[in-house]
Amino acid sequence: MPVSIVIGSQWGDEGKGKITDLLSPDVDIVARYQGGANAGHTIAWEDESGAEEEFVLHLVPSGIFHDNVTCVIGNGVVLDPKAVLEEIEKIQALGVDVENRLKISHNAHLIMPYHKAVEAAQEQERASANDDDEIGTTGRGIGPAYTDKFARTGIRVVDLLDRDVLRQKLRRSIEEKNAILRDVYDAEALDVDRIVEEYVEFDQKIDSYVTDTSKYLCRALDRDKRVLAEGAQGSLLDVDFGSYPFVTSSHPTAGGCCTGLGVPPTEVERVLGIAKAYCTRVGNGPFPTELDNEAGEELRQKGGEFGATTGRPRRCGWLDLVALRYTSMINGFNELAVTKLDVLSGMDELKVCTQYRYDGKTTRRFPSEAQTLERVEPLYETLDGWDEDISGVRHFADLPTEAQDYLRFIAEYIGVEIGLLSNGPRRGQIIKDVAPAATA
Ligand code: GDP
Ligand code: IMO
Ligand code: MG
């Protein structure tokens, strides 16, 4: 059972890119299974001169910087052909071979300019109809592209390879979207001919990457190859299990891996939940432990909490264990990776949400429906902080006792061991010998 899945356990940006890059030397294939260029997965390292380098991936899987790895963009991803080609060029400029190491599913749906235009119009409409009612999307066309997929009117990668079919499908779709833009949203219509001509050009550029990736992955699994599935976004943004409608339009959760790659669930052995040592959220929607104060600002500044895709400041707050226990339940995490523990250094005390109060009662149940989640009051336990800079520590035993206790508290509450601890953005900043918690 050689499939492992890396899953965001909160609202995204937990450090999935860093952990995927870290695990890549031990696998043969790294595959994205959902989402699109709304993701921003950062990989940071030091070059030979000691200078800090950083690369933010949006569509190409985070295994691309390891020569041993083949990268797959699965059928469940919504692919912006322009964005992926630009990203490939940027990676190639670093001297990395992409041509022979990236496979794109022939069944993945395409993001078109009209998806972004419809999304912008919808968001504007929501904002003006009711203050603050917009979702705060990334503007990458994700929702409208998945809408077309499920309405069975989408255009897929395979359609790029037949210019006549593509022309016909594009024309029909753009005309339909133009009617919506003009008549429903009073927005500007798009130029049909310009888009058709631009997109028919993508066939040759993308042709060499296009593969039946489900078949490729299943054959690789038959030959005992190891696959790492890289989730995007976070479980609390899942379209079914997140705080709907303030969610993304896909399934970042474990189930999404099988449908998004076309691999059987019986092949999955490791489900690794990535949890930031505190919480962040970008965009609108309920966030019970949000700190709209100085402490929140301190986390934002120390943690560099600004979106890797949109640059928006991330909302910051204390660690929410009620939410983490819920995402552990729906994903079946058998291991946790805790990231950004270094950011908590220097805080006198650390609060951790262990219960919600709702309608006068306390509960450990996470209500995913937005209306209820908006009204819960987080109840905290307070743990001691530590002053030391821990970003250079490489062994659990060398961490301050308070930091060790913080991690044990998390593992005990969730009932899942912490297998990895990240204490800085760079590759080497990782602790792999986290001591087991007594009751996990
Ligand atoms: P992803 O979307 O889950 O891949 O996460 P992002 O890349 O959007 O955001 C995580 C940010 O935190 C990036 O800037 C990373 O370089 C950085 N990061 C990852 N792990 C750590 C860590 O342990 N400590 C610190 N200080 N930064 C980290
Ligand atoms: P990674 O993979 C954080 C959020 C948006 C918005 C909501 C819907 O880097 O963790 P969408 O554009 O998907 O329709 O927006 O989801 N969102 C993310 N937040 N990290 C992400 O990806 C996100 N991708 C989408 O801010 O609230
Ligand atoms: Mg991100």
Side-chain angles (χ1 to χ4, degrees):
M1 294 195 294
V3 177
S4 302
I5 322 178
V6 160
I7 297 179
S9 67
Q10 294 152 330
W11 282 283
D13 303 328
E14 298 89 350
K16 299 174 294 294
K18 173 179 170 168
I19 299 296
T20 301
D21 171 73
L22 178 87
L23 299 175
S24 291
D26 299 326
V27 301
D28 302 290
I29 298 169
V30 177
R32 276 276 307 271
Y33 58 86
Q34 45 69 237
N38 49 348
H41 293 184
T42 314
I43 300 175
W45 66 94
E46 241 174 45
D47 72 8
E48 293 100 56
S49 68
E52 305 263 340
E53 296 280 352
E54 185 183 277
F55 199 95
V56 181
L57 292 157
H58 300 287
L59 281 159
V60 174
S62 302
I64 197 70
F65 296 111
H66 298 271
D67 296 342
N68 60 301
V69 167
T70 300
C71 289
V72 168
I73 296 180
N75 54 278
V77 170
V78 279
L79 186 86
D80 182 335
K82 209 170 162 181
V84 81
L85 289 168
E86 280 169 14
E87 193 166 317
I88 289 171
E89 257 179 46
K90 276 197 202 158
I91 299 169
Q92 284 171 331
L94 298 175
V96 175
D97 170 28
V98 183
E99 188 93 39
N100 300 303
R101 295 182 39 237
L102 177 67
K103 298 186 187 301
I104 298 177
S105 168
H106 66 313
N107 281 341
H109 279 250
L110 294 174
I111 296 207
M112 293 292 174
Y114 48 82
H115 292 131
K116 294 180 194 171
V118 168
E119 179 178 344
Q122 285 172 338
E123 284 282 86
Q124 210 175 359
E125 172 74 17
R126 284 193 196 105
S128 58
N130 190 349
D131 239 8
D132 254 5
D133 212 20
E134 76 265 38
I135 293 166
T137 64
T138 58
R140 299 300 189 268
I142 306 295
Y146 278 117
T147 304
D148 279 1
K149 171 173 176 170
F150 286 96
R152 295 164 294 181
T153 55
I155 300 180
R156 303 196 291 177
V157 167
V158 67
D159 298 322
L160 279 178
L161 307 183
D162 185 329
R163 285 186 173 213
D164 293 334
V165 174
L166 181 64
R167 268 209 181 86
Q168 194 190 339
K169 287 193 174 184
L170 265 176
R171 213 167 271 287
R172 198 187 306 143
S173 280
I174 303 169
E175 277 162 10
E176 185 210 353
K177 296 300 184 300
N178 272 347
I180 295 172
L181 285 168
R182 260 191 324 254
D183 303 341
V184 179
Y185 295 113
D186 204 12
E188 212 173 299
L190 300 167
D191 182 335
V192 181
D193 292 328
R194 198 190 56 74
I195 298 176
V196 170
E197 285 327 304
E198 186 180 3
Y199 279 74
V200 291
E201 289 296 313
F202 286 127
D203 62 345
Q204 278 161 7
K205 293 183 186 150
I206 222 154
D207 191 20
S208 63
Y209 300 102
V210 181
T211 310
D212 179 342
T213 51
S214 167
K215 194 158 122 192
Y216 170 77
L217 287 164
C218 290
R219 284 207 173 142
L221 291 168
D222 280 346
R223 285 183 283 119
D224 291 333
K225 299 286 182 199
R226 289 149 306 170
V227 175
L228 181 62
E230 177 184 10
Q233 289 76 56
S235 304
L236 297 171
L237 290 171
D238 185 286
V239 68
D240 276 317
F241 301 105
S243 46
Y244 192 89
F246 299 100
V247 291
T248 191
S249 297
S250 69
H251 293 292
T253 41
C257 163
C258 296
T259 52
L261 292 179
V263 297
T266 42
E267 294 283 358
V268 178
E269 72 173 351
R270 184 184 189 195
V271 187
L272 177 61
I274 317 300
K276 212 176 265 193
Y278 48 97
C279 278
T280 62
R281 178 167 196 164
V282 209
N284 290 333
F287 180 2
T289 62
E290 181 169 15
L291 289 166
D292 199 5
N293 59 17
E294 247 173 59
E297 190 54 36
E298 188 181 340
L299 286 173
R300 186 173 307 118
Q301 294 305 330
K302 282 167 73 179
E305 296 297 355
F306 297 89
T309 295
T310 58
R312 290 179 290 176
R314 295 174 182 151
R315 300 155 65 191
C316 297
W318 297 120
L319 181 62
D320 186 341
L321 288 182
V322 176
L324 185 57
R325 200 173 74 112
Y326 166 74
T327 60
S328 182
M329 176 183 81
I330 58 177
N331 287 299
F333 294 147
N334 44 24
E335 193 181 331
L336 289 174
V338 173
T339 60
K340 305 194 88 159
L341 191 71
D342 53 301
V343 175
L344 297 182
S345 288
M347 299 190 99
D348 289 343
E349 52 182 36
L350 302 169
K351 291 196 175 180
V352 177
C353 171
T354 53
Q355 292 191 86
Y356 290 159
R357 185 180 290 133
Y358 177 67
D359 270 352
K361 295 193 191 88
T362 56
T363 178
R364 298 207 315 166
R365 191 185 84 81
F366 180 83
S368 68
E369 59 283 1
Q371 315 84 290
T372 313
L373 194 59
E374 201 69 75
R375 289 168 51 202
V376 302
E377 179 198 346
L379 302 179
Y380 293 105
E381 290 210 21
T382 304
L383 305 183
D384 290 337
W386 60 91
D387 272 335
E388 297 90 326
D389 172 4
I390 60 165
S391 62
V393 175
R394 295 293 166 263
H395 296 287
F396 182 76
D398 297 333
L399 286 171
T401 326
E402 296 85 356
Q404 295 186 11
D405 289 345
Y406 189 75
L407 294 170
R408 278 200 201 95
F409 191 89
I410 299 171
E412 279 175 20
Y413 185 100
I414 307 297
V416 177
E417 294 292 356
I418 297 169
L420 290 169
L421 171 66
S422 173
N423 56 343
R426 289 195 306 277
R427 274 186 181 143
Q429 292 179 298
I430 199 85
I431 295 176
K432 295 182 179 171
D433 60 354
V434 184
T439 60

